């Protein structure tokens, strides 16, 4: 929904042709230059053959029909059939080559975007709503496909045919051709005016449609307010006004379209009139045959046909340019966080963590972490507590280098996280978030997450260890059960156990855990506690604690308040301080 | 005709409003076709005349005739398009208004059960597909039918043998369109399915990007994507295999009839059964008459898509509004604002578990009821029943002694000033937002008063355009607290008998809150007030306090009596003191 409003805002119409964008787009053709070459050959050949057809008709009239030569007529008919077969063959080859190539280019582009998206940092995804990014991979790419397969090709084909016709006409009778083409300036003028008018009215229609969308959205999301305040009528009248603007804009656009087509036909009739008049005079003086005259008339009809659907092609071109602009903008956005060229370390061995005077903020002026320093020794278990907005989850994000610190440094095994190989660092840190994110697919895929080193046996063993196996066995297809839609069929406790199994199967050196806050029944609660003990054994861990048992079992507790570490110590030590922890304890943990 | 099976039939009443225009448009279609058919005929005469001896001035006459006829045809064609396509826009306008008006009547539970995007796409994308039926669909059908009928009749009259022979390939065109059409449709659907699989996966990948990154699963994600993408390309190529044959084949078939004409027609000219002029005219007609054959497929497609879309629109428009006034409903003679809730148990439509259980409270006119409780205890659900945003069971919620269901909906809601939990303001001026509930203009002094009550006046003074300032995307971004305060002004501005604040001061700082409450007390004096809040400070002075827990009334009394009870309320109170202390640290 939010994506929709953004898309309507993005509906700004740009140029239909942009040299810079076009050059870059053509770059995608390079791997397929052989296809392009043969497609062009087919296209030129096909256009060439089809241009012969009216000439054949004219020739048949002059040579055979008027001279009553039946066998000659048979020959021409046979030749005509041959041209049809050739046009069919060339047409098929060209369509096949171009469309298959189009698909392959779309494949490449789509992969390129998806690959690029995987490298982007988390801050980028914070800023860009899912819907907007989806559009790049889906409809924007489709618009480009349209450009490659119909847009560019048909424009090229039209150009071929138009030149072909012009060449033939000048060859047949250059004087008549000149007379006929004298209407060209008129044609160009009409088309230009039309293009401008249509673009203007199109823009008006788009603006009106965007307003309709915005209004609709607002009135659906705000329907409670409209209903309670009894303002249906007022809003309805407003809607009819906006709707009327849309109607008027459309009626204007209908006017131009209704005018353009007859105008083109009129100009074409003007050309035929000229041919009849001047060609007739020439025929009378013996300078022109009837067959040539008929051929001329047919050619002029073929000449005007491509021009009439020009506006359609123009729209394709326009939207493709807008799409490519958006796609390239995305591709040109560099990720802010990348793996160092020469990493100082590829994986975590000991599991020692140190935060040294870390400062961090998502937005300038809104500090989230202020001068945070702490150490976690290998195998140590540290709990982080604090009220909401204290900066607890930020610590997790920074450790996995989802964001870079503003100031200070974070060391893992005495190596700065930004000197670590990014993938290696993240692979050695197991993250369990409050709400497990489930991908569509089976239970085992959701534990394995595509890591080929994790065998089925290891998955089952992990599930067994963290007590997830029990409920998985009850699912109708056990480990193969599909659990899409964010696992709506699973309870909060089950999801948590599944998340534990996932983390355990990946066997990380360091484990960071954001405990679920939701209440869980006592039985599951006990299972979770036991599973947690097993999961944490032998690993360095940082836990954002929401359960009393967790903080009690921690080696050390860090109390975070408004981005600063205010107190540290064991549960008992902190209680005795009677400070922030004591208050938090009363508020959050005490039954 | 069974209307369920023919969603498009529902368009007839809309179309009948414009029947005069449609009849006139049809007339234009006929005239356009006739004028168009004259052109090739004239060319035929020219050729025949040229074979004999023709005077130069005759040539000029024919040339002028061709241009003149084209002008007449163009004139008719212009009006044909303008009228018929125009009607489709008119109907689209009417239909969209009706759709909007229907959506307005729907209850919250209906709107919440559907995504906004889904409803919107019906009002735009689906409507546009229906519009295509009404405009190009109907116009092309009329044109194709009239052209085929008149054109074929004329050709048969001219030379029936030649006509029948040249029509054989044309008939094949229709057959090809139909048989290919089905297959293309099927394969296209396969592509759409794969496309949505790609969309789903992309969405998942982006939404779960943190997990992907945490487990360093980027490469395996790319692999999954590669597979989906490859299958998508494979399906597309299977469609291309069809279309790459289809379009050239059509051209070839159309070309076949040209050959028949050239070969058979040519022989007839040689055998003097046909003049050369007729032959040339025939050639022109053939070019015109191939169009309807090709268009059949496209028209069919337009109708098919339009019908599916109309079905979706009707699905929404056929759903009757669940919450409405019963016939003959009348408000009580004297509206004072007394509220009574009697043994209320409430479940959301389509769910099993009750969110409210056996609740009874009585609020005399002019008194204040405060409702507290944890998140999810049912506070909002309870107050939402009073203005019938959701329907309570009969006899459980009474205003001034009358079941809310027996009130006329508009009267009931007019007497309630409601400040919802999630503040919703329209992207309009502040003035419009405050006066939103008023049907008549609001005097400047009254506006000032409403703004003053919620303590937003001072903020408004700092905006460059004061009351005229736009809020939202096109204007300034207000803070959560400012929005809440405007919503309070909006509720006060309608001078309601009952005021409901659903946790409406949560984003306002404690100091401002106190000032607002101070001002509100004056307003609340002769009104019934329902206050839902997390903050004890907000509700301390209420006449009655109800503590909800898991949808039931856990405690009931005044601040003092509840403190003495030392239960949930007292615990909440103590925790809040602690929280305040924490905030000061």
């Amino acid at each position: 929904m939010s994506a929709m409003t953004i898309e309507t805002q993005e509906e700004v119409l740009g140029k239909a042709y942009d040299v810079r964008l076009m050059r870059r787009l053509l770059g995608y053709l390079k791997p397929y230059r052989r296809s392009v070459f043969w497609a062009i050959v087919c296209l030129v050949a096909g256009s060439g053959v089809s241009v012969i057809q009216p000439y054949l008709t004219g020739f048949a009239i002059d040579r055979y029909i008027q001279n009553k030569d039946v066998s000659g007529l048979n020959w021409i008919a046979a030749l005509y059939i041959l041209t049809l077969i050739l046009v069919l063959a060339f047409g098929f080859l060209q369509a096949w080559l171009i469309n298959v190539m189009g698909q392959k280019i779309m494949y490449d582009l789509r992969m390129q975007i998806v690959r690029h998206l995987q490298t982007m940092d988390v801050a980028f995804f914070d800023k860009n709503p899912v819907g907007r990014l989806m559009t790049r991979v889906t409809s924007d790419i489709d618009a480009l496909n349209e450009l490659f397969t119909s847009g560019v090709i048909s424009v090229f084909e039209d150009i071929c045919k138009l030149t072909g016709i012009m060449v033939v006409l000048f060859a047949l009778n250059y004087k008549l051709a000149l007379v006929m083409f004298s209407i060209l300036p008129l044609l160009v003028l009409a088309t230009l005016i039309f293009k401008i008018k249509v673009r203007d009215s199109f823009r008006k229609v788009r603006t009106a449609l965007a307003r309709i969308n915005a209004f609709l959205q607002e009135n659906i999301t705000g329907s409670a307010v409209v209903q309670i305040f009894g303002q249906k009528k007022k809003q309805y009248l407003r809607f009819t006004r906006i709707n009327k603007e849309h109607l008027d804009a459309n009626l204007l656009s209908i006017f131009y379209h209704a005018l353009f087509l007859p105008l083109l036909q009129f100009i074409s009739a003007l050309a035929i009139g000229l041919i009849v008049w001047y060609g007739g005079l020439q025929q009378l003086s013996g300078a022109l045959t009837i067959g040539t005259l008929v051929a001329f008339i047919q050619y002029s009809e073929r000449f005007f046909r491509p021009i009439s659907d020009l506006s359609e092609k123009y729209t394709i071109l326009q939207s493709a340019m807008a799409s490519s602009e958006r796609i390239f903008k995305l591709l040109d956005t560099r990720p802010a966080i990348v793996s160092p060229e020469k990493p100082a370390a590829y994986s975590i061995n000991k599991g020692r963590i140190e935060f040294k005077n870390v400062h961090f903020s998502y937005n300038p002026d809104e500090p989230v972490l202020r001068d945070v320093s702490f150490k976690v020794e290998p195998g140590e278990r540290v709990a982080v507590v604090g009220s909401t907005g204290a900066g607890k989850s930020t610590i997790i994000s920074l450790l996995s280098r989802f964001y870079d610190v503003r100031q200070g440094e974070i060391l893992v095994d005495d190596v700065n996280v930004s000197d670590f190989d990014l993938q290696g660092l993240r692979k050695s840190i197991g993250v369990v978030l409050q709400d497990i994110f489930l991908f569509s697919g089976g239970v085992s895929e959701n534990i394995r997450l595509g890591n080929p080193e994790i065998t089925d046996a290891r998955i089952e063993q992990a599930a067994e260890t963290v007590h997830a196996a029990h409920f998985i066995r009850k699912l109708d297809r056990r480990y193969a059960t599909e659990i899409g839609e964010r696992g709506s069929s699973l309870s909060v406790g089950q999801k948590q156990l599944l998340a534990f199994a996932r983390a355990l199967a990946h066997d990380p050196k360091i484990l960071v855990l954001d405990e679920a806050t939701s209440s869980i029944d006592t039985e599951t609660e006990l299972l979770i506690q036991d599973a947690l003990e097993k999961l944490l054994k032998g690993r360095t861990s940082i836990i954002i604690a929401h359960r009393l048992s967790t903080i009690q079992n921690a080696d050390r507790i860090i109390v975070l308040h408004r981005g600063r570490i205010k107190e540290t110590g064991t549960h008992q030590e902190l209680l005795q301080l009677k400070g922030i922890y004591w208050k938090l304890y009363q508020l959050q943990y005490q039954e | 005709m069974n209307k369920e099976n023919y969603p498009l039939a529902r368009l007839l009443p809309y179309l009948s409003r414009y029947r005069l225009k449609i009849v006139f448009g049809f007339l234009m279609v006929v005239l356009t076709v006739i004028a168009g058919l004259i052109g090739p005929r004239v060319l035929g005469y020219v050729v025949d005349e040229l074979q004999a001896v023709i005077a130069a001035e005759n040539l000029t006459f024919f040339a002028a005739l061709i241009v003149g006829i084209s002008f007449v045809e163009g004139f008719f064609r212009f009006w044909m398009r303008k009228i018929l396509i125009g009607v489709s826009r008119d109907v689209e306008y009417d239909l969209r208004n009706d759709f909007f008006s229907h959506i307005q009547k729907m209850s919250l539970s209906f709107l919440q059960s559907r995504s906004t995007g889904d409803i919107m796409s019906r009002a735009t994308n689906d409507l546009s597909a229906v519009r295509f039926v009404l405009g190009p669909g109907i116009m092309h059908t009329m044109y194709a039918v009239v052209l085929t009928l008149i054109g074929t009749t004329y050709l048969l009259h001219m030379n029936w043998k030649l006509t029948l022979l040249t029509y054989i390939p044309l008939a094949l065109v229709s057959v090809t369109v139909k048989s290919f059409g089905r297959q293309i449709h099927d394969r296209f659907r396969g592509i759409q399915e794969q496309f949505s699989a790609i969309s789903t996966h992309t969405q998942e990948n982006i939404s779960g990007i943190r997990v992907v990154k945490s487990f360093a699963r980027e490469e395996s994600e790319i692999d999954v994507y590669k597979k989906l993408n490859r299958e998508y390309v494979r399906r597309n190529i299977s469609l291309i295999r069809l279309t790459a044959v289809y379009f050239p084949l059509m051209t070839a078939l159309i070309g076949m009839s040209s050959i028949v004409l050239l070969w058979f027609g040519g022989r007839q000219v040689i055998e003097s059964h046909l003049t050369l002029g007729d032959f040339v005219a025939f050639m022109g007609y053939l070019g015109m008459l191939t169009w309807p054959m090709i268009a059949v497929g496209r028209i069919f497609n337009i109708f098919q898509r339009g019908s599916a879309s109309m079905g979706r629109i009707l699905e929404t428009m056929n759903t009757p509004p669940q919450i409405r006034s019963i016939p003959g409903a009348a408000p009580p003679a004297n509206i004072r604002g007394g509220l009574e809730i009697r043994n209320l148990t409430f479940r959301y439509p389509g769910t099993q578990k009750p969110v409210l259980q056996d609740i009874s409270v009585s609020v005399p006119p002019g008194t204040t009821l405060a409702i507290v409780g944890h998140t999810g205890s049912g506070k909002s659900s309870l107050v939402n029943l009073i203005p019938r945003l959701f329907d309570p069971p009969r006899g459980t919620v009474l205003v001034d002694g009358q079941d809310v269901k027996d009130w006329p909906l508009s009267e009931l809601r007019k007497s309630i000033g409601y400040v919802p939990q999630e503040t919703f303001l329209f992207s309009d001026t502040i003035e419009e937002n405050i006066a939103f509930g008023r049907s008549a203009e609001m005097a400047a002094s009254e506006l000032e008063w409403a703004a003053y009550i919620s303590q937003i006046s001072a903020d408004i003074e700092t905006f460059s355009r004061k009351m005229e300032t736009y809020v939202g995307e096109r204007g300034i971004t207000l803070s959560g607290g400012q929005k809440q305060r405007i919503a309070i002004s909006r509720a006060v501005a309608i001078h309601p008998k009952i005021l409901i604040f659903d946790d409406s001061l949560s984003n306002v700082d404690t100091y401002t809150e106190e000032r607002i409450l101070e001002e509100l007390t004056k307003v609340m004096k002769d009104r019934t007030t329902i206050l839902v809040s997390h903050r004890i400070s907000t509700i301390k002075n209420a006449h009655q306090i109800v503590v909800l827990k898991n949808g039931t009334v856990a405690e009931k009394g005044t601040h003092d009596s509840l403190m003495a009870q030392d239960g949930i309320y007292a615990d909440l109170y103590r925790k809040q003191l602690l929280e305040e202390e924490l905030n000061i640290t």
Side-chain angles (χ1 to χ4, degrees), chain A residues 29-328:
Chain A
L29 290 175
K30 248 188 198 152
Y32 308 102
R33 37 178 182 265
R34 287 179 56 154
S35 294
V36 176
F37 174 75
W38 287 113
I40 290 176
V41 168
C42 289
L43 196 142
V44 173
S47 309
V49 175
S50 78
V51 164
I52 297 174
Q53 289 167 351
Y55 178 75
L56 284 181
T57 313
F59 193 76
I61 291 174
D62 284 347
R63 280 287 175 82
Y64 307 119
I65 297 179
Q66 284 193 310
N67 296 333
K68 304 197 185 296
D69 178 352
V70 176
S71 67
L73 186 64
N74 290 345
W75 270 111
I76 287 285
L79 208 58
Y80 206 115
I81 289 179
L82 185 68
T83 65
L84 274 186
I85 293 170
L86 284 177
V87 169
L88 177 76
F90 285 130
F92 168 77
L93 278 175
Q94 177 236 314
W96 172 256
L97 284 169
I98 284 299
N99 282 294
V100 169
M101 181 196 75
Q103 285 302 322
K104 286 186 178 157
I105 292 176
M106 294 313 114
Y107 175 87
D108 295 345
L109 248 176
R110 223 176 269 128
M111 287 315 297
Q112 195 190 359
I113 296 176
V114 166
R115 227 179 268 277
H116 182 71
L117 280 179
Q118 306 306 312
T119 67
M120 292 312 292
D121 51 295
V122 172
F124 170 84
F125 291 99
D126 294 344
K127 278 188 298 241
N128 292 282
V130 185
R132 190 191 299 179
L133 296 175
M134 296 261 304
T135 321
R136 300 295 162 275
V137 192
T138 53
S139 36
D140 277 342
I141 289 201
D142 272 8
L144 280 189
N145 186 28
E146 189 91 336
L147 172 77
F148 279 118
T149 53
S150 347
V152 173
I153 287 303
S154 74
V155 168
F156 195 74
E157 190 177 348
D158 290 348
I159 293 173
C160 273
K161 283 193 176 151
L162 294 183
T163 0
I165 291 171
M166 281 171 117
V167 169
V168 172
L169 289 187
F170 275 97
L172 278 176
N173 187 316
Y174 77 93
K175 278 186 195 158
L176 185 56
L178 276 180
V179 171
M180 177 189 147
F181 287 125
S182 66
I183 50 99
L184 267 183
L186 204 59
L187 185 71
V188 171
L189 189 71
T191 316
L192 276 180
I193 294 176
F194 173 73
K195 204 183 84 176
I196 294 166
K197 291 292 180 191
V198 160
R199 196 181 50 199
D200 288 350
S201 69
F202 190 56
R203 194 169 286 155
K204 276 191 194 121
V205 170
R206 283 290 167 158
T207 319
L209 195 64
R211 288 193 63 190
I212 286 186
N213 275 331
F215 193 87
L216 264 174
Q217 195 195 341
E218 205 170 80
N219 275 272
I220 294 171
T221 36
S223 61
V225 173
V226 179
Q227 292 190 2
I228 287 171
F229 286 89
Q231 295 304 324
K232 281 193 285 205
K233 191 157 241 164
K234 189 171 173 178
Q235 295 303 92
Y236 177 75
L237 286 177
R238 282 189 183 166
F239 184 73
T240 55
R241 266 204 298 277
I242 297 173
N243 200 4
K244 187 81 190 346
E245 274 172 40
H246 180 249
L247 174 67
D248 291 341
N250 266 310
L251 290 179
L252 187 71
S253 140
I254 289 172
F255 173 80
Y256 290 123
H257 275 101
L259 198 63
F260 183 60
L261 211 67
L263 192 66
L264 270 188
Q265 282 182 333
F266 180 70
I267 294 174
S268 139
L270 220 55
I272 294 178
L274 282 173
I275 295 169
V276 165
W277 171 72
Y278 188 77
L281 285 181
Q282 279 204 319
Q283 199 265 344
L284 289 180
S285 63
L288 188 81
T289 62
I290 291 187
T292 313
L293 192 65
V294 171
F296 249 92
I297 290 169
Q298 283 202 343
Y299 278 121
S300 84
E301 274 164 1
R302 286 191 184 207
F303 190 81
F304 285 98
R305 211 174 295 157
I307 297 173
S308 62
D309 51 45
L310 202 75
S311 71
E312 203 174 309
K313 285 166 197 161
Y314 185 78
T315 318
I316 291 178
L317 221 62
Q318 208 171 25
S319 70
M321 282 299 146
S323 289
S324 63
E325 177 121 48
R326 288 197 287 258
I327 287 176
F328 289 146

